[in-house]
Amino acid sequence: MRDTTQTHIVGTPALRKEGIGKVTGGARYIDDMALPGMWHGATVRSNIARGIIKDIRFGAGIAWDEFVIVTAKDIPGENCIPLIVDHDQPVLVESQVNHPEEPVVLLAHPDKARLHEAVAAVEINYEPLPAVFTIEESERQKTIVWGEDNVIKRFLVEKGDVDSAWQRAAHIVTGEYHTGAQEQLYIENNGVIADWSEADGLTIRGSMQCPYYIHKALLRVFDLPAEKVRVIQAETGGAFGGKEDYPSMIAAHAGLLSKKAGRPVKIIYDREEDLAATTKRHPSRTRYRTAVDGNGRLLAMDIQVDLDGGAYATVTPTVLSRATIHAAGPYCCENIRIRSHAWATNLPPHGAFRGFGSPQTIFGIERHMDQIAKAAGISPEEVRRRNFLAPGKTTATGQEIRDVIDLPGMLDRALKVSDYEAKHLRFARENATSSPIKRGIGVASFMHGAGFTGSGERYLNSLVGLEADATGHVTVLVSSTEFGQGTNTMLSQVAAEALGLSCEDISVAQPDTQRVPNSGPTVASRTTMIVGRLVQDAAHALADILRGKNLLGEIFSVTEFRAACAAYTERFGALRAEVRYQAPKDIFWDDVAYKGEAYPAFAWAIYVAEVAVDTRTYSTQVVNFYALQEVGRVINPLLATGQIEGGVAQGIGYALYEKVVWKNGRMSNNQMTNYIMPTAVDVPNIEVYFEEMPCEHGPCGAKGLGELPHDGPAPAILNAIQNATGINFTSIPLLPEDMYLRMAETPEPDAKETAGCV
Amino acid sequence: MRSNASQYELIAPGSLDSVLALLAAEPDAWTPMAGGTELMVALGAGRLEQHKLVSLWGIDELRQITANDDWLSIGAGATFTDIRQNAIVAKDFPLLARAASWTGAIANQNRGTLGGNIVNASPAADSPPVLLVYEAEIELVSAQGRRRMPYSEFHLGYKRTVLRPQELVKAVHLPRGRHLPVEYLRKVGTRNALAISKVALACVGAMQSGKVSTVRIAAASLRETPARLSATEAALLGHALTPERIQAARKALLQEVKPIDDIRSTANYRAHVAANLLEEFLEQMTASNSKTRS
Amino acid sequence: MSAAKMHWPEIRFKVNGSERSVSVPPMKRLLDVLREDLELTGVKEGCGEGECGSCSVLLDGVLVNSCLVPALQASGCEVLTVEGLATNGALAHIQQKFLELGGTQCGICTPGMMLAAESLLKNNPKPDLDEIREGLAGNLCRCTGYMRIIDAVRHASQKPLLAEEQAEIDAVRR
C-alpha cells in the first residue's frame, strides 16, 4: 500500500478484536485467574503522612505462623522503584514514612478471607514528623520533605522578551487558576499474580499499561537478569494512566510475597484501597499575566505553573514538562516565559492520568483567554481567532507549525455545528428573565502533542515485530497494551491495510516480555502514531523480505501473500520483520534550554460546551457538548468516536463532579459512593466531529488522540458557566457548594446569623 | 471484601411469626435483614458488627401493598420497585413513587425495602420526608402484639428510633382521600442519579381565599432525623403569599434547620438550598391559587 | 495450615438454566459464590458497595447487585449472568449490538451493563433516550461516556432493518 489516502480497512469501523470475549464474559482479567497453589496477599500501610517508624507489632488473636510476612529487609535487590529520579520511592518503607497509605508490611495467606483481619492487627508506631499537604505549604519551604528544597522538578521556557512588553500593552490581564486531584477510577482495580520459581525467576501477570516498565523495575528490586523476569499483561479493565507506573509497585509486592512463600501470590486491591493508595492526577495552580494590544492580540505571556507531585517523584518531571509546554495554548505570541515547578508534598505520589499535565494548564490558558476577551471588549471566540497559531508560526518552545492547520476554519465549523451564535443570543435574552435556570455556551481551543516530548521517543527506541506463519496469518508483536482504547484493533487494521489482508488475518500477540519486543509504554497518545507507524513499516519490511526471496511481487494478492509465506517458512524457517524507531531528521530538541520541536505532531481541537446553571441549587448541567478535532487520520471511526466521548465524560467529571477530599494527606472519600463520577443520566449528548490532515509521521497519516479529549471539556464548561452567570470561576472541581459560596456572597443577613448551622 | 463471611450467621425462618418468635426468644441477638442493601455494604467494608442475622426476604406477608377506602398499606418488605410499580401509589401518592425512583438506582430499588430504609434511619433517606407530609402511620409488630403510631413519632434522634429489639416494622399506612392540590418534591444529590441526598424537601399544600389553608413541609438531611419543618409551616399557615411572607418563611426555615458539614456537602449550602426549594414550592402554591381563582 | 473447612448447609439455585448447589456460608456474597464456587468470572467486582453495577446479575428476572445479595437469599432462585446470555454459542441480540456499535471498550462494565440493558428492555421494550439513560444509571462506565452504550441499547430495542442498521453503524462520524 503506497497511497495513504485510499484505504480499505483503515478508516472503517472494524469490530473490536477482543470484543467477543468482552461481551460473553470470557475475557480473563487478572482476578479471574488463579494459579495452582496460589495464596493471596495484602498490604499493611501507614496511617500517618510523615514520620519515623518506631516499631511494628503483630497483634494477638492472629495465627501469624500461617502467614508469610514480608518487610523491606526481605528485598533481595534495591528497595526502590526506579522511574525518572532514582532511589526515590521505596518498595516498602524502611524507616521513614512520607505519605499516608505508604506500604510497610506485606502479608500472604491461603485464605483470602483471613487477610483483612491480619492487616488490621499489625500495629505500627511512629514518631510523627511535620508534613505538608498543598503546593502553598510546600513552596513556603518551612518544612522540607523532599530533596533540598521540595522541588521535584523545575522548568524555564523563554521566548522573546517578556519584560519589555508590558509598557506597550493596552491591557494587562492576570489570573490564577486551580485544578484538584482526580482519580482515574478504572472500573477494574489494580491487581497482579506473581509466580516465583528458583529455576525460571519471577513471572508477573496483571492489569497494566507497560509490561516493560514493570520488567525494568523488578530487575532492580530482585537483582535478576533480564531473562529471569517475565511480565504478561492480562485483559485490563481500564487504565487512563493509573496503571502506567503503579503496577511496578504492586508487582514488586506480589513478587516479594511469592518469593518468600515459594508459591504464586495474587494481590487484588479493593476499591477503598485503590482509591486511597494509588496515584491521582496532579493538582495544579497556574498563574497568567498577559499583555495584549488594543486588538486583543497577545504581546506577552508570563506564566507560572505549579504542580503538587505528592511524596515521591515518579512520573512528575514528565508531567510538569507537558504541562509547561502546553501552558501557552494554541496561540501565537512572540514573548513567552513559563516558570514551572513540581512541589513535593506528603500525599501519595501523584501520577499519570489522561492528559498528563495538559488538562491542568489548558484549563488555565483557556479560562484566561476568556478574561482577556472581556478586558479587550471582544468575544471569546474572536480573541481566539485573532491569536491562533498558523503554519509558519512558532509555539512557546519555538516549534514551527508545519501542519497545514486552519484553526479559524475549525472554529467556524465548531461554532456552526453547535449553533453557537444563535444560542448565545437566545441565552442572553432568556437569562435576563426571572427564570432560575441560566444558560451559557463556552468554547475551548487547544492542541495536544502526540508521542513523548522532545528526545523521549529517541530514548524509548521502540522496537516492533511482525511474524507470519505458513498460512499467511500475521502476528503483531508489540508491548503496547489494549485496555479499551483500541490498540489491538487499530494495529490489526494498520497491518491488514499495509499487506492487503483482512483484519481476521492479523493477530496481536498478548504482551508478554518473553515474546514481544519493547515498543515503549502505552502512554502519551503515541500508540497509533509511533507504534502504529512502526507496525506499518514492519508490514512493508515483511513484504520486502518475501520480495527479497523473489516470492512476492511489487503488488500482490492475498493468495499470493499466503503462498509466499508458505514457501518462505518451508525453505527458510521463521518469517519475521523487526523495525526500530528512527527519529525524524528534522526534529530538534534542546533538553537544557527547553526549546525546539517538543512533539513530532499535534492534534488540534475546538470544543463547545452548553450548560444550564440552576441558581436555586447552584448545580450545573452540561446540556450539550460538541467536540471537533483534527487528528491526522481516523483509523477506526467507531473506536475513535468512543475515545473522544469517553474523554469528554472524564473531563466533565473533572470540571463538575470529581473531588478528592483530603484529610491529613489521605483521601477521605475513598468509596465510589462519595467520589462522584458521572452516570448515564449526567453525561449529555456528545457530538463528535473529525477532521483529517494526514501527518507524515503516523500510519496512513494518523496522529494521537487518546488524551486530547480530556484537555478541553473543563475550560469549555467553565467558560460556559461564566457566560451563563457572569461569574469567573477559576477553580475545579466546581461543585454546587463552591458556586453557592460565590453567588450567595451577599446572603440575607438573617441567614448567616440565625441559621442553626454548624 | 473486608469481612470473613464464615464468621456470620444468616438464617431464614421464612415466616413473620417465626421471625418474631426468634426475636422474642433471643432479644438483641439477631439483626433483621431485608434486601441487604445497607448491611451487605457494611459487610463488604468490614464494619458489619452484628454477626447474627435473620432474613426477612421472601416473607410475602411483609411485602404486600394493599388498599381500602381509607388507607394504602405498604408492607415493610415492599421494595422501592414494588412501590414505583404500584398503581395506587402512582395515582394517589405520586411523591412516594418519585422518591422511590430516586433511591439509588434500579438494582438497589429492586432489593431495597421501605422498612429497611426506615429502620436504617439515615437522615438523608429519600422516602421519609414524603411519608411525613403524607401523614403516614407506621405499624410495628412483635410476638407481644402490634402498635401503630404516626410516622412522625418513629425517629427519636440520629439513627435512634422507637423500635424495640424484638420488634419489626410491619407496614407503613398512608391515609387516602387527603389529596392536596399542590405536591412538591425535590432532591438535591451529588449527581442526577445514584446519589445520596444532600438536601431534599417534600411539601404538600393548598390555598383558600388567597391564603395558605394547609401546608406540610418535611426535609431530609436538615436535621438528625427526617423532620417536619413545623416552624416554617407555622410561618405560612393562614397567610397570603406576599413577598414579605415568603421571606419570613425562608427565615423560619433557616432558623429551624440544623444541617451539618459532611463529606458530601456543607451546612450552609444545605440550608440555603432548602430555603430556595421552599420558594420554589411557594411559587407553585401561588400558581395554584391563581388557577383556582380563574 | 489452612482454616478448617466448616460444613455449610447446601444452597440450591438455578444459574443460567442449570441446577446448581453450593455449600457456602449463608452470608457469602452471591458475587463471590458465582465467581469462586461456580467459576462464572464474567460477573465482576468493581466496588463492593453496590455503586458501580459491574456485579449486576438477574435474580428471578430482576436486576440486582450481586455484591449485596447474601447467598442464602438466592436460595431457590434463578440467576442469569453474562455467561447465560448467548444460546448455543450464538450471541444474544444485546451482545451483538454492544460488539457492533462500540458499546464495549475495556469490557469490565460490559457484563453488568448488558444485563441492565436486558432488564430494561424486558420491562420497557421501546424505551426513549431518557428511559435508556435511567435504566443504565446504576452501571458506571469510565471508558465510553455512555454514548455508544446508549446507541447499542437503542439498536437492540428497535430491531431495525438490516440496511438501516448498517447505515447507522457506518455513519458514526457525522
Side-chain angles (χ1 to χ4, degrees):
Chain A
M1 186 222 70
R2 297 283 181 255
D3 179 358
T4 56
T5 51
Q6 284 282 87
T7 57
H8 304 283
I9 295 178
V10 162
T12 70
L15 290 190
R16 177 172 287 276
K17 213 65 175 129
E18 76 292 340
I20 302 258
K22 287 175 172 174
V23 300
T24 58
R28 282 259 178 292
Y29 303 79
I30 192 62
D31 198 25
D32 302 331
M33 296 184 213
L35 292 181
M38 187 179 81
W39 282 20
H40 298 268
T43 312
V44 180
R45 300 177 177 278
S46 63
N47 62 6
I48 62 159
R50 191 163 175 257
I52 310 284
I53 294 181
K54 288 201 301 215
D55 57 60
I56 301 174
R57 289 184 205 167
F58 292 81
I62 306 287
W64 291 110
D65 58 338
E66 291 180 16
F67 289 79
V68 160
I69 301 172
V70 160
T71 63
K73 296 192 205 56
D74 294 298
I75 296 173
E78 292 180 58
N79 184 9
C80 78
I81 302 284
L83 201 58
I84 297 166
V85 176
D86 212 342
H87 301 293
D88 185 35
Q89 184 181 35
V91 174
L92 292 170
V93 176
E94 264 172 281
S95 110
Q96 179 166 326
V97 164
N98 290 301
H99 65 81
E101 305 293 315
E102 194 166 1
V104 186
V105 178
L106 303 169
L107 305 174
H109 193 278
D111 184 358
K112 189 174 177 182
R114 300 277 301 280
L115 280 167
H116 70 279
E117 202 183 10
V119 168
V122 179
E123 187 192 310
I124 307 175
N125 294 303
Y126 310 91
E127 211 170 83
L129 290 170
V132 297
F133 299 121
T134 63
I135 292 168
E136 288 75 15
E137 284 172 24
S138 183
E139 72 184 348
R140 255 174 245 146
Q141 294 171 315
K142 272 178 59 191
T143 303
I144 302 299
V145 301
W146 196 93
E148 306 285 306
D149 55 4
N150 287 343
V151 179
I152 294 173
K153 188 72 180 178
R154 50 167 61 82
F155 289 108
L156 173 64
V157 169
E158 285 188 306
K159 179 190 185 193
D161 176 8
V162 165
D163 296 316
S164 65
W166 309 113
Q167 62 222 30
R168 309 198 299 274
H171 312 278
I172 297 177
V173 186
T174 61
E176 180 173 305
Y177 308 93
H178 292 254
T179 67
Q182 187 191 16
E183 159 61 31
Q184 299 88 349
L185 210 64
Y186 29 74
I187 305 291
E188 183 215 13
N189 290 312
N190 273 283
V192 69
I193 299 176
D195 189 6
W196 170 273
S197 83
E198 285 304 324
D200 301 326
L202 183 58
T203 303
I204 298 288
R205 291 172 177 79
S207 187
M208 65 182 73
Q209 293 174 233
C210 313
Y212 274 100
Y213 275 10
I214 299 174
H215 188 265
K216 180 175 170 189
L218 296 180
L219 299 185
R220 293 275 296 275
V221 175
F222 290 87
D223 192 19
L224 288 170
E227 61 277 10
K228 288 288 201 199
V229 173
R230 180 180 179 189
V231 182
I232 306 168
Q233 186 223 5
E235 196 75 74
T236 296
F240 315 111
K243 295 174 182 172
E244 173 174 337
D245 64 305
Y246 193 80
S248 300
M249 178 70 76
I250 189 176
H253 291 171
L256 289 167
L257 286 171
S258 178
K259 181 164 198 271
K260 194 159 185 183
R263 48 177 68 248
V265 172
K266 176 196 270 192
I267 300 181
I268 307 282
Y269 290 171
D270 65 15
R271 185 58 62 180
E272 283 193 34
E273 179 173 20
D274 198 296
L275 286 172
T278 72
T279 66
K280 311 263 171 304
R281 185 187 296 287
H282 292 65
S284 79
R285 180 190 67 206
T286 53
R287 290 171 171 157
Y288 286 80
R289 187 162 186 252
T290 48
V292 288
D293 68 15
N295 289 314
R297 286 206 176 78
L298 291 162
L299 294 174
M301 302 170 90
D302 196 346
I303 306 171
Q304 283 172 265
V305 177
D306 293 278
L307 298 183
D308 174 345
Y312 298 108
T314 69
V315 294
T316 294
T318 321
V319 177
L320 187 68
S321 158
R322 194 171 271 275
T324 304
I325 293 169
H326 287 77
Y331 306 113
C332 215
C333 183
E334 292 309 309
N335 308 297
I336 301 177
R337 177 192 294 132
I338 309 170
R339 283 170 288 183
S340 58
H341 295 82
W343 298 95
T345 61
N346 298 108
L347 267 47
H350 295 301
F353 186 175
R354 200 172 197 169
F356 202 79
S358 58
Q360 290 95 321
T361 52
I362 288 173
F363 177 73
I365 180 62
E366 284 307 288
R367 290 295 295 119
H368 197 68
M369 288 304 278
D370 270 32
Q371 310 328 307
I372 291 174
K374 210 160 152 213
I378 57 181
S379 72
E381 51 285 14
E382 188 57 30
V383 77
R384 287 168 170 84
R385 193 187 299 279
R386 291 184 189 178
N387 285 288
F388 275 144
L389 283 169
K393 302 291 182 195
T394 58
T395 67
T397 63
Q399 176 167 5
E400 188 188 312
I401 300 302
R402 300 207 201 112
D403 276 353
V404 189
I405 187 68
D406 173 20
L407 288 172
M410 281 177 67
L411 177 63
D412 286 337
R413 283 187 285 286
L415 296 179
K416 178 154 172 275
V417 299
S418 60
D419 203 19
Y420 182 97
E421 303 296 346
K423 283 176 182 168
H424 198 265
L425 285 168
R426 175 159 54 95
F427 295 163
R429 218 173 40 240
E430 290 172 1
N431 291 346
T433 69
S434 61
S435 166
I437 309 291
K438 305 296 175 196
R439 296 185 188 275
I441 192 159
V443 171
S445 47
F446 53 103
M447 72 233 211
H448 195 96
F452 263 48
T453 310
S455 38
E457 287 298 335
R458 202 175 284 127
Y459 165 76
L460 285 177
N461 205 21
S462 300
L463 186 65
V464 149
L466 217 68
E467 271 174 2
D469 68 14
T471 71
H473 191 88
V474 173
T475 302
V476 176
L477 302 164
V478 293
S479 62
S480 306
T481 51
E482 170 69 61
F483 38 86
Q485 82 287 43
T487 300
N488 290 346
T489 314
M490 178 275 297
L491 292 178
S492 299
Q493 286 180 262
V494 167
E497 187 73 55
L499 291 170
L501 302 172
S502 69
C503 278
E504 289 66 43
D505 298 319
I506 317 286
S507 296
V508 179
Q510 182 180 27
D512 173 347
T513 56
Q514 200 168 86
R515 176 141 193 241
V516 303
N518 188 353
S519 59
T522 315
V523 304
S525 305
R526 64 186 293 275
T527 304
T528 298
M529 191 176 77
I530 306 285
V531 182
R533 176 55 180 267
L534 291 172
V535 167
Q536 183 183 85
D537 292 346
H540 295 321
L542 193 81
D544 282 344
I545 290 173
L546 294 169
R547 289 190 188 102
K549 299 290 183 194
N550 291 317
L551 293 171
L552 208 60
E554 192 56 30
I555 296 170
F556 51 89
S557 68
V558 174
T559 322
E560 286 165 347
F561 178 78
R562 288 185 182 142
C565 292
Y568 185 98
T569 53
E570 200 194 319
R571 277 182 241 170
F572 306 107
L575 173 55
R576 181 182 169 122
E578 275 192 0
V579 174
R580 193 175 283 285
Y581 175 78
Q582 301 272 12
K585 299 280 185 292
D586 52 1
I587 305 278
F588 299 107
W589 177 252
D590 182 340
D591 239 339
V592 173
Y594 239 62
K595 271 193 167 77
E597 265 115 8
Y599 303 99
F602 291 95
W604 307 86
I606 314 275
Y607 281 9
V608 177
E610 197 185 312
V611 302
V613 178
D614 187 333
T615 58
R616 291 216 141 114
T617 60
Y618 308 97
S619 45
T620 302
Q621 191 68 29
V622 181
V623 167
N624 274 307
F625 201 94
Y626 307 87
L628 184 140
Q629 47 263 303
E630 189 288 308
V631 297
R633 188 70 194 274
V634 177
I635 305 287
N636 184 318
L638 187 60
L639 298 188
T641 299
Q643 281 297 286
I644 302 302
E645 291 163 343
V648 168
Q650 288 179 342
I652 291 173
Y654 188 44
L656 299 175
Y657 296 97
E658 296 178 39
K659 181 169 183 142
V660 178
V661 179
W662 299 104
K663 198 171 168 194
N664 297 322
R666 191 183 174 279
M667 180 184 185
S668 60
N669 59 330
N670 61 321
Q671 292 165 283
M672 266 188 167
T673 194
N674 288 326
Y675 181 82
I676 306 299
M677 70 160 267
T679 68
V681 185
D682 300 295
V683 179
N685 191 49
I686 302 167
E687 283 188 28
V688 177
Y689 301 85
F690 287 113
E691 310 213 337
E692 295 176 314
M693 272 189 328
C695 148
E696 54 171 328
H697 301 297
C700 306
K703 297 190 276 197
L705 63 72
E707 294 170 278
L708 178 78
H710 202 310
D711 291 338
I717 290 167
L718 262 72
N719 286 346
I721 291 173
Q722 183 162 5
N723 177 237
T725 62
I727 300 175
N728 179 20
F729 292 102
T730 56
S731 181
I732 53 172
L734 178 63
L735 300 187
E737 286 76 6
D738 304 314
M739 197 173 266
Y740 155 71
L741 277 178
R742 182 69 187 271
M743 287 177 88
E745 230 152 30
T746 48
E748 302 105 8
D750 297 328
K752 275 265 155 105
E753 285 149 34
T754 61
C757 309
V758 170
Chain B
M1 172 56 174
R2 299 189 173 200
S3 299
N4 188 340
S6 61
Q7 290 172 355
Y8 291 83
E9 262 185 87
L10 174 65
I11 56 174
S15 74
L16 179 58
D17 285 341
S18 48
V19 173
L20 294 176
L22 179 73
L23 295 178
E26 300 177 53
D28 268 333
W30 294 89
T31 300
M33 172 158 73
T37 54
E38 276 299 324
L39 295 171
M40 293 299 286
V41 175
L43 180 80
R47 47 181 174 76
L48 182 60
E49 279 151 22
Q50 307 95 309
H51 285 253
K52 287 165 76 154
L53 301 126
V54 55
S55 176
L56 304 178
W57 190 261
I59 298 180
D60 286 335
E61 203 181 332
L62 284 176
R63 198 168 165 176
Q64 303 299 312
I65 302 181
T66 58
N68 59 30
D69 288 337
D70 300 319
W71 296 95
L72 174 73
S73 301
I74 303 177
T79 66
F80 290 105
T81 300
D82 294 338
I83 291 169
R84 282 182 80 174
Q85 288 177 347
N86 184 277
I88 301 180
V89 170
K91 188 163 133 330
D92 288 1
F93 303 100
L95 298 187
L96 187 58
R98 246 197 284 159
S101 77
W102 295 341
T103 304
I106 290 186
N108 314 99
Q109 291 161 23
N110 285 335
R111 291 280 300 178
T113 63
L114 187 62
N117 196 237
I118 288 171
V119 167
N120 185 49
S122 163
D126 300 302
S127 300
V130 170
L131 299 177
L132 288 172
V133 299
Y134 281 150
E135 296 187 304
E137 292 187 2
I138 188 164
E139 183 184 345
L140 312 176
V141 69
S142 70
Q144 275 75 57
R146 301 172 179 219
R147 54 188 185 127
R148 182 163 158 162
M149 67 192 67
Y151 173 61
S152 55
E153 291 172 16
F154 181 75
H155 295 280
L156 296 174
Y158 179 68
K159 297 224 164 189
R160 275 187 312 118
T161 70
V162 301
L163 196 69
R164 296 180 190 135
Q166 322 91 295
E167 273 182 325
L168 292 177
V169 176
K170 172 99 181 355
V172 170
H173 303 283
L174 294 159
R176 299 182 74 182
R178 296 193 204 170
H179 182 80
L180 290 172
V182 185
E183 293 200 349
Y184 173 90
L185 175 67
R186 191 152 178 199
K187 166 181 175 176
V188 179
T190 48
R191 55 189 166 197
N192 287 340
L194 196 64
I196 298 179
S197 158
K198 294 200 244 185
V199 59
L201 210 67
C203 313
V204 297
M207 304 287 287
Q208 197 164 35
S209 312
K211 301 199 168 119
V212 176
S213 58
T214 318
V215 68
R216 296 193 284 271
I217 299 168
S221 304
L222 287 180
R223 290 234 277 270
E224 41 176 35
T225 67
R228 282 277 291 272
L229 301 185
S230 41
T232 311
E233 293 170 2
L236 289 165
L237 203 56
H239 295 283
L241 290 175
T242 62
E244 297 73 35
R245 181 51 43 187
I246 292 172
Q247 286 310 306
R250 280 185 71 103
K251 190 173 163 181
L253 182 148
L254 289 169
Q255 278 177 315
E256 80 171 304
V257 300
K258 287 169 183 27
I260 58 169
D261 289 335
D262 67 12
I263 204 148
R264 275 179 288 279
S265 189
T266 64
N268 286 340
Y269 172 83
R270 288 174 152 129
H272 200 92
V273 169
N276 289 346
L277 299 187
L278 175 70
E279 261 200 72
E280 201 168 53
F281 163 63
L282 295 177
E283 273 170 20
Q284 288 183 21
M285 288 282 271
T286 304
S288 83
N289 188 43
S290 16
K291 263 195 233 131
T292 51
R293 270 216 302 256
S294 63
Chain C
M1 198 171 55
S2 64
K5 274 208 170 314
M6 294 195 56
H7 178 72
W8 301 103
E10 273 192 343
I11 296 172
R12 285 193 184 81
F13 53 141
K14 222 174 182 183
V15 183
N16 297 331
S18 304
E19 292 290 342
R20 305 302 298 261
S21 97
V22 291
S23 175
V24 296
M27 278 291 274
K28 187 164 184 175
R29 303 180 307 175
L30 178 61
L31 168 65
D32 298 318
V33 173
L34 293 169
R35 284 181 57 80
E36 294 170 13
D37 299 279
L38 301 180
E39 294 180 343
L40 294 165
T41 57
V43 190
K44 305 298 180 192
E45 176 164 5
C47 73
E49 42 173 308
E51 283 288 310
C52 73
S54 298
C55 67
S56 303
V57 299
L58 297 190
L59 186 65
D60 284 345
V62 158
L63 189 72
V64 300
N65 291 321
S66 63
C67 71
L68 298 185
V69 177
L72 186 66
Q73 288 186 349
S75 175
C77 295
E78 288 197 37
V79 180
L80 181 70
T81 73
V82 62
E83 288 93 342
L85 283 175
T87 40
N88 297 322
L91 292 181
H93 195 58
I94 191 73
Q95 291 171 302
Q96 191 63 35
K97 292 302 149 201
F98 264 69
L99 191 58
E100 279 170 13
L101 293 163
T104 184
Q105 286 191 26
C106 83
I108 199 82
C109 80
T110 301
M113 193 70 77
M114 290 188 308
L115 287 164
E118 280 290 279
S119 172
L120 168 71
L121 295 176
K122 210 161 56 117
N123 294 325
N124 184 356
K126 294 246 188 262
D128 63 28
L129 272 182
D130 284 339
E131 287 165 336
I132 294 177
R133 287 178 185 274
E134 201 224 337
L136 303 180
N139 292 71
L140 298 178
C141 173
R142 194 52 162 167
C143 294
T144 65
Y146 305 104
M147 294 287 297
R148 301 296 111 221
I149 292 174
I150 290 166
D151 216 33
V153 176
R154 200 166 56 83
H155 275 84
S157 72
Q158 283 168 7
K159 300 183 185 3
L161 298 170
L162 199 61
E164 215 178 278
E165 270 185 299
Q166 202 51 52
E168 283 234 40
I169 292 167
D170 290 344
V172 165
R173 182 194 339 189
R174 271 157 287 193

